[in-house]
Amino acid sequence: MIPIRTTLDNSTTVQYAGLLHQLTMKAKSTVRDIDPQNDLTFLRIRSKKHEIMVAPDKEYLLIVIQNPCE
Amino acid sequence: MAMPLSPWSLRRAGSAGAPALAAGRAGGVKGPGRPAPLLDETLGVVSVPSQWRGVQGIRGETKSCQTASIATAEASAQAQTHADAQIQTETPEPVAVVPVSQHDNPRLVAFLQRVEAMVTRELNKNWQSHAFDGFVVNWTEPQQTVSCLHTLGYPPAQGQGLHVTSISWNATGSVLACAYGRLDDGDWSTLKSYVCTWNLDRRGLNPRQPSVVVEVPSAVMCLAFHPAQPSHIAGGLYSGEVLVWDVSRPEDPLLWRTGLTDDTHTDPVYQVLWLPEPRHSHHFQVLSVATDGKVLLWQGVGAGQLQLSKGFALVVQQLPRSTKVKKPPRGETEVGVTAVAFSSFDPNLFVLGTEGGFPLKCSLAAEVLALTRMPSSVSLRAPVQFTFSPHGGPVYSVSCSPFHRNLFLSAGTDGHVHLYSMLQAQPLTSLQLSQKYLFAVRWSPVRPLVFAAASGEGEVQLFDLQKNSQKPTVSIAQTQDGSPVYCLEFNSQQTQLLAAGDAKGTVKVWQLSTAFTEQGPRETEDLDQLAVEGAT
């Protein structure tokens, strides 16, 4: 997956894109394995520092990183 | 309108008045009494020769001058061949990001319109969500206290009363090396010393028997493991030499040495560091600093020789006068350098600690030549850009923060640790940690607000600036009888380990509690605030 638009710096973008694409594919196959009629619509990963949201699609992937106020 | 006086009337008046005056004067002469009658006399003729140039006649001489003839010769030259060449650098393409085209791909637009509503809904829900309040996951077994994992020593060195002068963790974080020497010797010593390494991950680790022992003919003052090669280690000696060993070769570990040439230091080498080469970032060079005022960069060339590739010399006269520094009366005096630390954000920027107690901000890219008479094969340059306000005694250790580009710590023999910002000469904050000397200070590689200091009272003190900025959070007593701790290093791969070496020749590896290894939520912001305001 190559990044098309980004608001972060290039190296971080490339890192996020590569890693999250793999994770999204794995999540999608997990959902399909549990129930073949089901499909992945949205992926959220919450970490200590922020929350990463991934909206998957056939051709594109939208990744949003939010810093929730603590 | 006034009419101008007619000139006729004026003249007439004047002429009418003149005969009247003349008559009056003549009358005046003959007036009083009977003067003597006017007589005629004839006097001799007085003549004055004319001095007019034309009467005197022309006196002249003829002279001529002529410039010497100019020698000329004709010669011609003609370039036989010439060639035109052009080069053009190409701007490096940014990695893997397709340049933005003016027209949006319509499918991209459709995709974004599809997901926009869902994503904004989730973002808004997140903003107000309390779902994760107070939810903390413990991935590892929490350690509440600091405990001593290993106590390592080399009995023959301890028997000679040697101190641990320096320790270093290797690139993989599993091997710890320590150097034996003496830090309180005042003169040349022919003491043999040792460099010992222990592999902490190996089974059957014998704390009294290092895995590798290298005998060195002079006292080793500092050590540094290669950042990429797990078995190469550089050391600086009391005699001023810099050696590089390969500890994976037990029969002949010495890889490179500087030898005792004109280029080598003439004073003990206080610190060595590995630096990546500017063009080939896989090759490294060794930087050494010593109290003779030189900062030298060595390159390993074939046949085991370390050659000087770049050098800097510090002279008091060339220090920028940002703060008042006592200047010696005359002569070039070298500034003895006792510590060096490179910034993790700018590869050319480094900080030096000096014997005079003032940290110096320097740059590898400096071009000004140093005014020094020390002989050297490479011209020495003056690297100093800024002088910070001094400690009360020599600075033995400086450390640049790995999380903030402007902060660095310095520890001196006055027992104080100063937190400086690169932007100002006065320290942001100053903490008194010990009544005696402080020998080493290091920032933690994982927690932006934590640092550790080694004191002359035998204690390793850990500071957490988030909790308490005046007292150490934890104070570990390394030695029972108060003999000083000379060096300490954090392990950047296994971040809960901290090693410290003391004057009894023992190296202790401490396991830190999880409070010191897990980063809290707002630490980077707190560090930025600290840099701006100073400690509260």
Side-chain angles (χ1 to χ4, degrees):
Chain A
M1 273 256 168
I2 46 171
I4 303 177
R5 298 286 179 88
T6 177
T7 58
L8 303 171
D9 57 284
N10 283 348
S11 52
T12 316
T13 307
V14 169
Q15 197 178 22
Y16 267 102
L19 294 169
L20 284 169
H21 176 57
Q22 294 176 28
L23 189 61
T24 312
M25 291 294 113
K26 183 72 177 178
K28 184 186 168 92
S29 69
T30 306
V31 170
R32 296 290 288 260
D33 282 351
I34 293 173
D35 180 4
Q37 312 292 328
N38 207 351
D39 203 354
L40 178 71
T41 52
F42 202 73
L43 182 63
R44 285 167 69 163
I45 304 170
R46 190 165 182 113
S47 71
K48 257 198 313 198
K49 296 188 187 174
H50 34 242
E51 174 144 352
I52 305 169
M53 279 171 265
V54 180
D57 187 72
K58 193 172 54 153
E59 301 161 36
Y60 303 98
L61 203 63
L62 176 68
I63 302 170
V64 181
I65 303 158
Q66 184 186 25
N67 206 352
C69 60
E70 297 275 16
Chain B
M1 184 161 4
M3 284 283 287
L5 285 173
S6 153
W8 293 100
S9 57
L10 276 171
R11 218 187 296 156
R12 222 179 288 138
S15 54
L21 278 168
R25 209 178 287 132
V29 169
K30 290 205 181 91
R34 285 212 51 146
L38 294 171
L39 295 172
D40 272 329
E41 264 189 40
T42 315
L43 298 169
V45 176
V46 176
S47 73
V48 174
S50 159
Q51 287 189 330
W52 182 240
R53 220 178 285 147
V55 173
Q56 280 185 343
I58 297 174
R59 246 189 5 203
E61 290 175 11
T62 314
K63 293 226 187 236
S64 70
C65 67
Q66 170 73 47
T67 53
S69 61
I70 298 168
T72 59
E74 281 200 16
S76 65
Q78 173 71 42
Q80 291 297 330
T81 57
H82 66 270
D84 272 332
Q86 283 184 358
I87 52 169
Q88 171 73 44
T89 54
E90 290 186 350
T91 53
E93 289 288 328
V95 173
V97 176
V98 175
V100 179
S101 59
Q102 287 303 101
H103 304 284
D104 272 336
N105 193 336
R107 292 179 308 189
L108 178 64
V109 174
F111 162 67
L112 286 174
Q113 280 169 346
R114 271 199 310 270
V115 293
E116 183 201 342
M118 180 168 51
V119 173
T120 39
R121 202 175 52 230
E122 295 295 331
L123 283 171
N124 287 331
K125 273 201 295 187
N126 227 6
W127 193 247
Q128 296 141 6
S129 154
H130 293 286
F132 291 97
D133 279 357
F135 178 63
V136 173
V137 177
N138 294 323
W139 282 102
T140 53
E141 192 61 48
Q143 259 251 329
Q144 299 302 328
T145 54
V146 177
S147 60
C148 180
L149 266 188
H150 305 282
T151 307
L152 310 166
Y154 186 48
Q158 289 170 318
Q160 286 177 26
L162 291 177
H163 306 159
V164 176
T165 53
S166 178
I167 46 179
S168 178
W169 292 95
N170 81 338
T172 62
S174 52
V175 177
L176 178 64
C178 80
Y180 281 101
R182 285 195 72 94
L183 280 180
D184 51 1
D185 255 350
D187 55 354
W188 283 105
S189 65
T190 50
L191 209 56
K192 264 179 15 143
S193 77
Y194 308 92
V195 171
C196 307
T197 70
W198 283 268
N199 190 334
L200 299 177
D201 285 345
R202 218 180 268 174
R203 292 172 186 282
L205 167 71
N206 183 352
R208 309 261 107 213
Q209 178 60 43
S211 28
V212 176
V213 179
V214 179
E215 276 194 18
V216 184
S218 166
V220 181
M221 303 289 293
C222 51
L223 277 189
F225 258 110
H226 194 283
Q229 291 269 7
S231 61
H232 289 194
I233 180 166
L237 303 188
Y238 194 85
S239 57
E241 274 196 79
V242 174
L243 308 180
V244 178
W245 298 282
D246 183 350
V247 293
S248 61
R249 303 192 310 192
E251 65 285 344
D252 180 25
L254 188 62
L255 257 190
W256 285 311
R257 60 183 310 159
T258 56
L260 287 169
T261 62
D262 272 343
D263 290 336
T264 43
H265 292 287
T266 49
D267 275 351
V269 177
Y270 266 82
Q271 199 156 353
V272 282
L273 279 185
W274 290 91
L275 279 189
E277 257 181 67
R279 271 158 301 227
H280 316 99
S281 56
H282 298 292
H283 291 126
F284 287 84
Q285 296 173 312
V286 181
L287 181 97
S288 62
V289 299
T291 41
D292 60 356
K294 290 199 278 196
V295 175
L296 301 177
L297 202 56
W298 303 93
Q299 172 91 45
V301 299
Q305 181 72 19
L306 275 178
Q307 208 182 51
L308 188 60
S309 77
K310 232 195 222 189
F312 302 93
L314 281 91
V315 173
V316 177
Q317 277 72 6
Q318 285 182 305
L319 291 183
R321 295 269 159 268
S322 328
T323 59
K324 276 211 316 210
V325 164
K326 264 202 289 208
K327 219 167 95 146
R330 72 161 59 117
E332 309 140 1
T333 314
E334 291 91 25
V335 178
V337 181
T338 47
V340 63
F342 268 79
S343 161
S344 6
F345 292 86
D346 182 355
N348 278 340
L349 185 64
F350 60 101
V351 177
L352 294 177
T354 59
E355 274 181 331
F358 36 88
L360 299 170
K361 178 169 96 152
C362 311
S363 166
L364 280 182
E367 295 289 333
V368 178
L369 287 181
L371 308 161
T372 172
R373 276 187 242 119
M374 289 187 272
S376 171
S377 58
V378 169
S379 57
L380 299 173
R381 293 182 271 170
V384 185
Q385 292 177 335
F386 193 72
T387 312
F388 296 95
S389 107
H391 277 254
V395 172
Y396 276 136
S397 183
V398 285
S399 178
C400 286
S401 170
F403 290 94
H404 195 287
R405 65 183 317 128
N406 283 341
L407 291 179
F408 70 92
L409 288 169
S410 69
T413 54
D414 54 354
H416 282 81
V417 161
H418 287 191
L419 175 68
Y420 285 96
S421 163
M422 298 271 190
L423 307 171
Q424 66 180 47
Q426 292 294 325
L428 290 172
T429 168
S430 164
L431 300 157
Q432 165 131 34
L433 295 188
S434 161
Q435 303 297 326
K436 292 197 198 171
Y437 299 173
L438 281 178
F439 288 100
V441 68
R442 292 280 180 265
W443 285 102
S444 161
V446 281
R447 294 243 358 241
L449 291 166
V450 170
F451 66 89
S455 80
E457 289 156 349
E459 287 186 338
V460 173
Q461 299 188 338
L462 284 162
F463 260 82
D464 187 347
L465 291 169
Q466 199 176 38
K467 291 210 188 105
N468 188 340
S469 56
Q470 303 300 324
K471 283 188 322 112
T473 316
V474 174
S475 192
I476 314 167
Q478 167 132 345
T479 54
Q480 268 63 43
D481 55 357
S483 46
V485 179
Y486 284 130
C487 46
L488 59 83
E489 288 288 344
F490 281 95
N491 187 338
S492 25
Q493 308 297 322
Q494 302 186 40
T495 52
Q496 75 278 17
L497 297 182
L498 170 66
D502 60 27
K504 311 290 269 183
T506 330
V507 175
K508 291 201 178 173
V509 178
W510 300 94
Q511 183 169 29
L512 300 175
S513 53
T514 29
F516 288 107
T517 51
E518 306 270 312
Q519 225 184 58
R522 290 191 49 86
E523 285 206 35
T524 338
E525 286 87 9
D526 286 344
L527 189 67
D528 289 336
Q529 202 180 7
L530 184 67
V532 169
E533 315 169 349
T536 48

